Amino acid sequence: MTVPVRFQLTDDQRALRDGVRGLLARRFDRETLRAAVDAPGRLDRALWRELGAAGFFALRVPEAEGGVGLGLSEAVLAFEEAGRVLLPGPLVATHLAAGVVPGAADGSVVVAAVDGGLVEWLDAADVVRGEAGGVVPLRSVDPLTPLHRVAGGAEGGGGRVAVLLTAAEQLGTATRVRELAVQHARTREQFGQPIGAFQAVKHLCAQLLVRAEVARAAVYAAAVTGAPVDIAAARLLADEAAVRGARDCLQVHGGMGFTWESEVHLHLKRAWVRAQRGGGRTESEELLAADLTA
């Protein structure tokens, strides 16, 4: 007999998620986000150290080594919240370096990593993991993610854990753009009624919900199993939920979503950049295809 596995959050996991959400609400609200957009490439070191003090980077470091001693499931919840608010910085690289690079765990050291031929936040990093040849600055589509391209060398992206944490960030974006679309559909009026009353807008919002919740189930399940195939599937679904979700959210907002003051376009741009990290569409599709044909 097959026993179903239930991927439900425990009370401690809910408390962790709520704690991270509360910290980010206090330290990285909408005004702080706009200030970060207006000062591209500048990393808030005080916020970084506060994240370190809260245990964000040391979540998976054993307690005996000074960490929090939790697992991948808890890290996924934290990174989902970071993705939800568009928190900038090399979060994945610094988290993976905690316990390996001195100072990474407490946020006193910022760590970047070579990943898929790209390095995020190279100029702001104290340590760069992975070797690279020539380094060329790129004009990033996301004003909150400075990029450099590297030629040759070894990657230091972190493997399957980095892939899953990226999926968690994408899930956060998918969740946030769904909230923004529904909120706008309820409050924006045309022809004397909320635009959410129109069938086309209803369908867009329904698709946003379905993609986000399917991605959530896949990401949470992969965090529990840790299986490479599950992580690949989660990454594909999360990338789709974030990119297509942000596009549909823009559609709901119309021209307002493209204005510089709106955060909607920022979610789409960040989703595009994250999708280029290692373990993206081609790599995950090949892994799944190899498993199916084995």
Side-chain angles (χ1 to χ4, degrees), residues 94-168:
T94 303
H95 176 90
L96 292 172
V100 179
V101 176
D106 63 15
S108 60
V109 171
V110 177
V111 181
V114 180
D115 184 10
L118 297 174
V119 185
E120 298 180 3
W121 290 92
L122 178 63
D123 291 337
D126 303 306
V127 176
V128 179
R129 302 183 73 190
E131 299 177 358
V135 179
V136 180
L138 298 179
R139 183 176 180 182
S140 176
V141 67
D142 175 16
L144 292 168
T145 309
L147 293 172
H148 285 75
R149 181 174 297 283
V150 300
E155 294 192 4
R160 63 182 180 85
V161 176
V163 174
L164 182 58
L165 294 181
T166 296

Side-chain angles (χ1 to χ4, degrees), residues 102-228:
D106 63 15
S108 60
V109 171
V110 177
V111 181
V114 180
D115 184 10
L118 297 174
V119 185
E120 298 180 3
W121 290 92
L122 178 63
D123 291 337
D126 303 306
V127 176
V128 179
R129 302 183 73 190
E131 299 177 358
V135 179
V136 180
L138 298 179
R139 183 176 180 182
S140 176
V141 67
D142 175 16
L144 292 168
T145 309
L147 293 172
H148 285 75
R149 181 174 297 283
V150 300
E155 294 192 4
R160 63 182 180 85
V161 176
V163 174
L164 182 58
L165 294 181
T166 296
E169 289 182 296
Q170 294 284 59
L171 173 59
T173 281
T175 301
R176 179 58 178 160
V177 295
R178 182 202 69 202
E179 294 170 350
L180 291 170
V182 171
Q183 180 184 37
H184 188 74
R186 286 174 174 169
T187 57
R188 178 71 172 177
E189 292 190 0
Q190 286 186 352
F191 308 110
Q193 60 183 325
I195 62 172
F198 302 127
Q199 188 176 50
V201 177
K202 288 181 180 179
H203 286 177
L204 285 174
C205 291
Q207 290 165 2
L208 279 160
L209 174 62
V210 170
R211 283 194 294 265
E213 291 309 306
V214 169
R216 184 185 312 283
V219 170
Y220 286 7
V224 172
T225 68

Side-chain angles (χ1 to χ4, degrees), residues 36-62:
V37 172
D38 293 335
R42 186 182 69 83
L43 190 65
D44 186 341
R45 291 279 183 152
L47 173 56
W48 207 255
R49 289 190 295 271
E50 193 166 343
L51 289 171
F56 185 92
F57 301 119
L59 275 174
R60 297 185 307 116
V61 177

